[in-house]
Amino acid sequence: MISCVGGTIGILLGIVLSEFATMMMSLPSVPMVQQMPIIVAAFCFSAVVGIFFGMYPASKAARMNPVDALRYE
């Protein structure tokens, strides 16, 4: 959930900042273009990284004996 929320915030922040930069530079001949496939790929990458690095340690810890896990803390 955290990586999905972070990905969404990053996408929204990127869109807002690119629109702001376009207005501040006032270059109508060079528009900032947000491409949907790139946005979707960025969100999916964020979600996959968050899911992997959340699930991998959790599944590894779930297979351990609780006594052994606490012993080497």
Side-chain angles (χ1 to χ4, degrees), residues 11-39:
I11 289 168
L12 293 175
L13 190 62
I15 290 171
V16 168
L17 289 178
S18 69
E19 291 297 326
F20 180 72
T22 302
M23 288 186 331
M24 293 306 289
M25 289 190 296
S26 50
L27 296 173
S29 62
V30 185
M32 295 284 186
V33 178
Q34 292 88 20
Q35 296 178 353
M36 197 57 150
I38 294 173
I39 293 172

Side-chain angles (χ1 to χ4, degrees), residues 32-73:
M32 295 284 186
V33 178
Q34 292 88 20
Q35 296 178 353
M36 197 57 150
I38 294 173
I39 293 172
V40 170
F43 179 79
C44 290
F45 181 77
S46 171
V48 167
V49 167
I51 290 168
F52 176 75
F53 285 106
M55 293 294 290
Y56 177 70
S59 66
K60 190 174 175 182
R63 286 184 296 225
M64 292 181 74
N65 184 2
V67 174
D68 292 334
L70 292 174
R71 183 182 310 151
Y72 298 109
E73 187 173 300

